Amino acid sequence: MKKIVLTYGFIGGGLLVAMMLLTLPFHDRIGFDRGIYVGYTTMVLAFMMVYFGVVSYRDNVAGGTITFGRAFKVGLLISLITMACYVAAWQVIYPVFMSDYLDKYTVHMLEQAKLAGATAEQLAAQEKEMREFGELYQSSPLIQVAFTLLEPLPVAVVFTLVTAGITSRKRQAVRA
């Protein structure tokens, strides 16, 4: 199980990190609105490795059958490695290449709120909230890791659950 989990986890993580690095020079041109689609599409592609890893485990290690629980465990371990690669890459990319990310995101969100007709009080409250979040986010690497993990976590959980449901096969009793 270890080899399969590591192999597919690092392939998924490699996809996430590669796409992050490939889009980094174009971040300002892609923008925040389109960037979310690029990012989550990449996550979906990367977390497809959960499916392939569980199928590989079922077919090559478990003799063609796997329970939902075992499939979920294998998928979750693959997901954790993929997410760890994502977080590790962001921990390097953020301070070196994107240290102004939160400031740019704050400006973008305030512009969006202004276009949506927010009042001056609402804009001030949103700006204060975003500045407080920025201070919290930059206060500790552990907090950065926790918030960064929250981004791919829903995709990972959904893929792991769906994969476990699709791939699980219990042994059938042999009928004479």
Side-chain angles (χ1 to χ4, degrees):
M1 176 167 74
K2 186 177 183 180
K3 181 180 178 187
I4 289 172
V5 165
L6 291 173
T7 300
Y8 287 93
F10 282 122
I11 291 171
L15 287 170
L16 283 177
V17 172
M19 192 61 165
M20 199 184 303
L21 292 172
L22 286 171
T23 59
L24 186 63
F26 310 104
H27 184 266
D28 289 332
R29 277 192 250 159
I30 293 171
F32 291 103
D33 294 333
R34 287 183 299 238
I36 195 165
Y37 297 114
V38 172
Y40 279 104
T41 299
T42 303
M43 286 181 199
V44 166
L45 293 173
F47 285 112
M48 287 182 73
M49 292 303 111
V50 170
Y51 173 79
F52 295 123
V54 171
V55 167
S56 177
Y57 178 83
R58 180 193 69 197
D59 295 345
N60 299 316
V61 176
T65 61
I66 192 169
T67 63
F68 180 89
R70 176 60 69 161
F72 183 78
K73 180 180 177 183
V74 171
L76 188 60
L77 291 171
I78 293 168
S79 294
L80 289 173
I81 291 170
T82 301
M83 291 187 301
C85 293
Y86 179 78
V87 169
W90 181 249
Q91 289 301 102
V92 172
I93 290 170
Y94 174 69
V96 176
F97 299 106
M98 300 183 76
S99 59
D100 61 347
Y101 179 82
L102 288 176
D103 294 331
K104 287 181 178 180
Y105 186 68
T106 298
V107 168
H108 170 75
M109 292 305 292
L110 292 173
E111 287 173 0
Q112 293 296 98
K114 206 179 287 183
L115 289 173
T119 65
E121 295 82 27
Q122 290 170 326
L123 288 171
Q126 185 174 0
E127 182 175 13
K128 181 181 181 225
E129 182 180 321
M130 293 187 79
R131 297 278 177 225
E132 288 172 353
F133 172 78
E135 290 170 6
L136 173 66
Y137 187 79
Q138 295 178 356
S139 67
S140 164
L142 290 177
I143 290 174
Q144 288 178 6
V145 166
F147 277 112
T148 306
L149 273 173
L150 288 176
E151 193 174 350
L153 184 64
V155 180
V157 169
V158 167
F159 263 82
T160 303
L161 286 170
V162 169
T163 295
I166 291 171
T167 60
S168 61
R169 295 183 196 159
K170 293 183 181 176
R171 293 197 197 290
Q172 300 293 325
V174 179
R175 293 185 182 184

PDB file of all heavy atoms in Angstrom, residues 110-133:
ATOM      1  N   LEU A 110     -12.596  44.463  -2.571  1.00  0.00           N
ATOM      2  CA  LEU A 110     -13.235  45.757  -2.322  1.00  0.00           C
ATOM      3  C   LEU A 110     -13.793  46.348  -3.617  1.00  0.00           C
ATOM      4  O   LEU A 110     -14.879  46.949  -3.609  1.00  0.00           O
ATOM      5  CB  LEU A 110     -12.254  46.718  -1.655  1.00  0.00           C
ATOM      6  CG  LEU A 110     -11.858  46.351  -0.223  1.00  0.00           C
ATOM      7  CD1 LEU A 110     -10.764  47.268   0.291  1.00  0.00           C
ATOM      8  CD2 LEU A 110     -13.064  46.379   0.714  1.00  0.00           C
ATOM      9  N   GLU A 111     -13.074  46.178  -4.718  1.00  0.00           N
ATOM     10  CA  GLU A 111     -13.590  46.637  -6.012  1.00  0.00           C
ATOM     11  C   GLU A 111     -14.857  45.876  -6.386  1.00  0.00           C
ATOM     12  O   GLU A 111     -15.812  46.468  -6.891  1.00  0.00           O
ATOM     13  CB  GLU A 111     -12.534  46.466  -7.102  1.00  0.00           C
ATOM     14  CG  GLU A 111     -11.401  47.467  -7.024  1.00  0.00           C
ATOM     15  CD  GLU A 111     -10.277  47.181  -8.021  1.00  0.00           C
ATOM     16  OE1 GLU A 111     -10.368  46.182  -8.785  1.00  0.00           O
ATOM     17  OE2 GLU A 111      -9.301  47.954  -8.018  1.00  0.00           O
ATOM     18  N   GLN A 112     -14.875  44.578  -6.142  1.00  0.00           N
ATOM     19  CA  GLN A 112     -16.058  43.761  -6.429  1.00  0.00           C
ATOM     20  C   GLN A 112     -17.248  44.225  -5.578  1.00  0.00           C
ATOM     21  O   GLN A 112     -18.370  44.303  -6.067  1.00  0.00           O
ATOM     22  CB  GLN A 112     -15.776  42.280  -6.172  1.00  0.00           C
ATOM     23  CG  GLN A 112     -14.770  41.663  -7.110  1.00  0.00           C
ATOM     24  CD  GLN A 112     -15.255  41.658  -8.544  1.00  0.00           C
ATOM     25  OE1 GLN A 112     -14.883  42.531  -9.315  1.00  0.00           O
ATOM     26  NE2 GLN A 112     -16.086  40.711  -8.889  1.00  0.00           N
ATOM     27  N   ALA A 113     -16.984  44.495  -4.312  1.00  0.00           N
ATOM     28  CA  ALA A 113     -18.050  44.960  -3.420  1.00  0.00           C
ATOM     29  C   ALA A 113     -18.569  46.329  -3.865  1.00  0.00           C
ATOM     30  O   ALA A 113     -19.781  46.584  -3.832  1.00  0.00           O
ATOM     31  CB  ALA A 113     -17.539  45.014  -1.987  1.00  0.00           C
ATOM     32  N   LYS A 114     -17.656  47.186  -4.291  1.00  0.00           N
ATOM     33  CA  LYS A 114     -18.047  48.513  -4.764  1.00  0.00           C
ATOM     34  C   LYS A 114     -18.931  48.392  -6.003  1.00  0.00           C
ATOM     35  O   LYS A 114     -19.955  49.084  -6.112  1.00  0.00           O
ATOM     36  CB  LYS A 114     -16.784  49.330  -5.085  1.00  0.00           C
ATOM     37  CG  LYS A 114     -16.968  50.840  -4.977  1.00  0.00           C
ATOM     38  CD  LYS A 114     -15.672  51.581  -5.283  1.00  0.00           C
ATOM     39  CE  LYS A 114     -14.695  51.404  -4.135  1.00  0.00           C
ATOM     40  NZ  LYS A 114     -13.436  52.154  -4.319  1.00  0.00           N
ATOM     41  N   LEU A 115     -18.549  47.514  -6.928  1.00  0.00           N
ATOM     42  CA  LEU A 115     -19.344  47.295  -8.139  1.00  0.00           C
ATOM     43  C   LEU A 115     -20.713  46.709  -7.814  1.00  0.00           C
ATOM     44  O   LEU A 115     -21.680  46.946  -8.535  1.00  0.00           O
ATOM     45  CB  LEU A 115     -18.607  46.359  -9.100  1.00  0.00           C
ATOM     46  CG  LEU A 115     -17.381  46.936  -9.798  1.00  0.00           C
ATOM     47  CD1 LEU A 115     -16.659  45.845 -10.592  1.00  0.00           C
ATOM     48  CD2 LEU A 115     -17.775  48.087 -10.714  1.00  0.00           C
ATOM     49  N   ALA A 116     -20.794  45.950  -6.737  1.00  0.00           N
ATOM     50  CA  ALA A 116     -22.064  45.353  -6.320  1.00  0.00           C
ATOM     51  C   ALA A 116     -22.937  46.338  -5.556  1.00  0.00           C
ATOM     52  O   ALA A 116     -24.045  46.006  -5.155  1.00  0.00           O
ATOM     53  CB  ALA A 116     -21.808  44.116  -5.471  1.00  0.00           C
ATOM     54  N   GLY A 117     -22.425  47.547  -5.328  1.00  0.00           N
ATOM     55  CA  GLY A 117     -23.221  48.585  -4.681  1.00  0.00           C
ATOM     56  C   GLY A 117     -23.074  48.670  -3.179  1.00  0.00           C
ATOM     57  O   GLY A 117     -23.968  49.174  -2.497  1.00  0.00           O
ATOM     58  N   ALA A 118     -21.967  48.206  -2.647  1.00  0.00           N
ATOM     59  CA  ALA A 118     -21.758  48.280  -1.197  1.00  0.00           C
ATOM     60  C   ALA A 118     -21.640  49.734  -0.753  1.00  0.00           C
ATOM     61  O   ALA A 118     -21.100  50.577  -1.478  1.00  0.00           O
ATOM     62  CB  ALA A 118     -20.494  47.514  -0.816  1.00  0.00           C
ATOM     63  N   THR A 119     -22.147  49.983   0.435  1.00  0.00           N
ATOM     64  CA  THR A 119     -22.056  51.332   0.993  1.00  0.00           C
ATOM     65  C   THR A 119     -20.652  51.560   1.543  1.00  0.00           C
ATOM     66  O   THR A 119     -19.863  50.619   1.689  1.00  0.00           O
ATOM     67  CB  THR A 119     -23.072  51.510   2.144  1.00  0.00           C
ATOM     68  OG1 THR A 119     -22.698  50.625   3.219  1.00  0.00           O
ATOM     69  CG2 THR A 119     -24.497  51.208   1.690  1.00  0.00           C
ATOM     70  N   ALA A 120     -20.366  52.817   1.873  1.00  0.00           N
ATOM     71  CA  ALA A 120     -19.051  53.155   2.418  1.00  0.00           C
ATOM     72  C   ALA A 120     -18.806  52.408   3.733  1.00  0.00           C
ATOM     73  O   ALA A 120     -17.679  51.950   3.994  1.00  0.00           O
ATOM     74  CB  ALA A 120     -18.942  54.663   2.629  1.00  0.00           C
ATOM     75  N   GLU A 121     -19.850  52.270   4.547  1.00  0.00           N
ATOM     76  CA  GLU A 121     -19.716  51.549   5.805  1.00  0.00           C
ATOM     77  C   GLU A 121     -19.428  50.064   5.561  1.00  0.00           C
ATOM     78  O   GLU A 121     -18.605  49.460   6.253  1.00  0.00           O
ATOM     79  CB  GLU A 121     -20.976  51.697   6.668  1.00  0.00           C
ATOM     80  CG  GLU A 121     -21.275  53.101   7.143  1.00  0.00           C
ATOM     81  CD  GLU A 121     -21.991  53.952   6.092  1.00  0.00           C
ATOM     82  OE1 GLU A 121     -22.712  53.404   5.217  1.00  0.00           O
ATOM     83  OE2 GLU A 121     -21.809  55.179   6.121  1.00  0.00           O
ATOM     84  N   GLN A 122     -20.121  49.486   4.594  1.00  0.00           N
ATOM     85  CA  GLN A 122     -19.901  48.080   4.269  1.00  0.00           C
ATOM     86  C   GLN A 122     -18.487  47.859   3.737  1.00  0.00           C
ATOM     87  O   GLN A 122     -17.828  46.874   4.083  1.00  0.00           O
ATOM     88  CB  GLN A 122     -20.927  47.596   3.246  1.00  0.00           C
ATOM     89  CG  GLN A 122     -22.330  47.489   3.799  1.00  0.00           C
ATOM     90  CD  GLN A 122     -23.358  47.238   2.708  1.00  0.00           C
ATOM     91  OE1 GLN A 122     -23.220  47.726   1.582  1.00  0.00           O
ATOM     92  NE2 GLN A 122     -24.397  46.468   3.054  1.00  0.00           N
ATOM     93  N   LEU A 123     -18.020  48.778   2.905  1.00  0.00           N
ATOM     94  CA  LEU A 123     -16.666  48.673   2.366  1.00  0.00           C
ATOM     95  C   LEU A 123     -15.627  48.783   3.485  1.00  0.00           C
ATOM     96  O   LEU A 123     -14.649  48.028   3.508  1.00  0.00           O
ATOM     97  CB  LEU A 123     -16.409  49.751   1.314  1.00  0.00           C
ATOM     98  CG  LEU A 123     -17.131  49.565  -0.012  1.00  0.00           C
ATOM     99  CD1 LEU A 123     -16.960  50.805  -0.892  1.00  0.00           C
ATOM    100  CD2 LEU A 123     -16.621  48.332  -0.726  1.00  0.00           C
ATOM    101  N   ALA A 124     -15.856  49.714   4.410  1.00  0.00           N
ATOM    102  CA  ALA A 124     -14.924  49.880   5.530  1.00  0.00           C
ATOM    103  C   ALA A 124     -14.906  48.621   6.405  1.00  0.00           C
ATOM    104  O   ALA A 124     -13.832  48.177   6.837  1.00  0.00           O
ATOM    105  CB  ALA A 124     -15.304  51.105   6.358  1.00  0.00           C
ATOM    106  N   ALA A 125     -16.080  48.054   6.640  1.00  0.00           N
ATOM    107  CA  ALA A 125     -16.156  46.842   7.460  1.00  0.00           C
ATOM    108  C   ALA A 125     -15.467  45.670   6.760  1.00  0.00           C
ATOM    109  O   ALA A 125     -14.730  44.908   7.398  1.00  0.00           O
ATOM    110  CB  ALA A 125     -17.618  46.496   7.748  1.00  0.00           C
ATOM    111  N   GLN A 126     -15.673  45.549   5.448  1.00  0.00           N
ATOM    112  CA  GLN A 126     -15.035  44.460   4.707  1.00  0.00           C
ATOM    113  C   GLN A 126     -13.517  44.643   4.677  1.00  0.00           C
ATOM    114  O   GLN A 126     -12.774  43.679   4.842  1.00  0.00           O
ATOM    115  CB  GLN A 126     -15.580  44.379   3.286  1.00  0.00           C
ATOM    116  CG  GLN A 126     -15.024  43.191   2.524  1.00  0.00           C
ATOM    117  CD  GLN A 126     -15.670  43.009   1.168  1.00  0.00           C
ATOM    118  OE1 GLN A 126     -16.549  43.756   0.762  1.00  0.00           O
ATOM    119  NE2 GLN A 126     -15.226  41.991   0.459  1.00  0.00           N
ATOM    120  N   GLU A 127     -13.073  45.880   4.505  1.00  0.00           N
ATOM    121  CA  GLU A 127     -11.634  46.128   4.489  1.00  0.00           C
ATOM    122  C   GLU A 127     -11.011  45.801   5.844  1.00  0.00           C
ATOM    123  O   GLU A 127      -9.953  45.168   5.922  1.00  0.00           O
ATOM    124  CB  GLU A 127     -11.338  47.584   4.126  1.00  0.00           C
ATOM    125  CG  GLU A 127      -9.853  47.867   4.044  1.00  0.00           C
ATOM    126  CD  GLU A 127      -9.537  49.274   3.571  1.00  0.00           C
ATOM    127  OE1 GLU A 127     -10.440  50.129   3.531  1.00  0.00           O
ATOM    128  OE2 GLU A 127      -8.363  49.515   3.251  1.00  0.00           O
ATOM    129  N   LYS A 128     -11.696  46.190   6.910  1.00  0.00           N
ATOM    130  CA  LYS A 128     -11.198  45.879   8.254  1.00  0.00           C
ATOM    131  C   LYS A 128     -11.118  44.366   8.469  1.00  0.00           C
ATOM    132  O   LYS A 128     -10.123  43.850   8.992  1.00  0.00           O
ATOM    133  CB  LYS A 128     -12.114  46.510   9.309  1.00  0.00           C
ATOM    134  CG  LYS A 128     -11.663  46.248  10.724  1.00  0.00           C
ATOM    135  CD  LYS A 128     -12.617  46.870  11.738  1.00  0.00           C
ATOM    136  CE  LYS A 128     -12.100  46.582  13.128  1.00  0.00           C
ATOM    137  NZ  LYS A 128     -13.111  46.135  14.039  1.00  0.00           N
ATOM    138  N   GLU A 129     -12.155  43.666   8.067  1.00  0.00           N
ATOM    139  CA  GLU A 129     -12.187  42.207   8.214  1.00  0.00           C
ATOM    140  C   GLU A 129     -11.048  41.543   7.431  1.00  0.00           C
ATOM    141  O   GLU A 129     -10.381  40.641   7.930  1.00  0.00           O
ATOM    142  CB  GLU A 129     -13.539  41.687   7.725  1.00  0.00           C
ATOM    143  CG  GLU A 129     -13.728  40.201   7.860  1.00  0.00           C
ATOM    144  CD  GLU A 129     -15.103  39.759   7.353  1.00  0.00           C
ATOM    145  OE1 GLU A 129     -16.093  40.474   7.579  1.00  0.00           O
ATOM    146  OE2 GLU A 129     -15.146  38.696   6.714  1.00  0.00           O
ATOM    147  N   MET A 130     -10.810  42.022   6.233  1.00  0.00           N
ATOM    148  CA  MET A 130      -9.759  41.435   5.405  1.00  0.00           C
ATOM    149  C   MET A 130      -8.367  41.761   5.948  1.00  0.00           C
ATOM    150  O   MET A 130      -7.464  40.932   5.892  1.00  0.00           O
ATOM    151  CB  MET A 130      -9.920  41.876   3.958  1.00  0.00           C
ATOM    152  CG  MET A 130     -11.202  41.297   3.340  1.00  0.00           C
ATOM    153  SD  MET A 130     -11.369  41.602   1.609  1.00  0.00           S
ATOM    154  CE  MET A 130     -10.271  40.334   0.978  1.00  0.00           C
ATOM    155  N   ARG A 131      -8.198  42.940   6.487  1.00  0.00           N
ATOM    156  CA  ARG A 131      -6.904  43.294   7.101  1.00  0.00           C
ATOM    157  C   ARG A 131      -6.649  42.428   8.343  1.00  0.00           C
ATOM    158  O   ARG A 131      -5.536  41.965   8.555  1.00  0.00           O
ATOM    159  CB  ARG A 131      -6.865  44.770   7.487  1.00  0.00           C
ATOM    160  CG  ARG A 131      -6.982  45.732   6.352  1.00  0.00           C
ATOM    161  CD  ARG A 131      -5.665  45.946   5.648  1.00  0.00           C
ATOM    162  NE  ARG A 131      -5.891  46.836   4.522  1.00  0.00           N
ATOM    163  CZ  ARG A 131      -5.401  46.655   3.319  1.00  0.00           C
ATOM    164  NH1 ARG A 131      -4.592  45.657   3.077  1.00  0.00           N
ATOM    165  NH2 ARG A 131      -5.689  47.482   2.346  1.00  0.00           N
ATOM    166  N   GLU A 132      -7.692  42.211   9.137  1.00  0.00           N
ATOM    167  CA  GLU A 132      -7.549  41.358  10.318  1.00  0.00           C
ATOM    168  C   GLU A 132      -7.209  39.920   9.920  1.00  0.00           C
ATOM    169  O   GLU A 132      -6.380  39.278  10.550  1.00  0.00           O
ATOM    170  CB  GLU A 132      -8.836  41.390  11.165  1.00  0.00           C
ATOM    171  CG  GLU A 132      -9.032  42.706  11.886  1.00  0.00           C
ATOM    172  CD  GLU A 132     -10.394  42.812  12.558  1.00  0.00           C
ATOM    173  OE1 GLU A 132     -11.259  41.920  12.371  1.00  0.00           O
ATOM    174  OE2 GLU A 132     -10.606  43.811  13.275  1.00  0.00           O
ATOM    175  N   PHE A 133      -7.856  39.440   8.846  1.00  0.00           N
ATOM    176  CA  PHE A 133      -7.525  38.105   8.360  1.00  0.00           C
ATOM    177  C   PHE A 133      -6.062  38.054   7.912  1.00  0.00           C
ATOM    178  O   PHE A 133      -5.349  37.091   8.201  1.00  0.00           O
ATOM    179  CB  PHE A 133      -8.424  37.681   7.196  1.00  0.00           C
ATOM    180  CG  PHE A 133      -7.965  36.400   6.564  1.00  0.00           C
ATOM    181  CD1 PHE A 133      -8.226  35.183   7.166  1.00  0.00           C
ATOM    182  CD2 PHE A 133      -7.231  36.412   5.381  1.00  0.00           C
ATOM    183  CE1 PHE A 133      -7.779  34.001   6.608  1.00  0.00           C
ATOM    184  CE2 PHE A 133      -6.774  35.228   4.819  1.00  0.00           C
ATOM    185  CZ  PHE A 133      -7.047  34.025   5.431  1.00  0.00           C
TER     186      PHE A 133
END
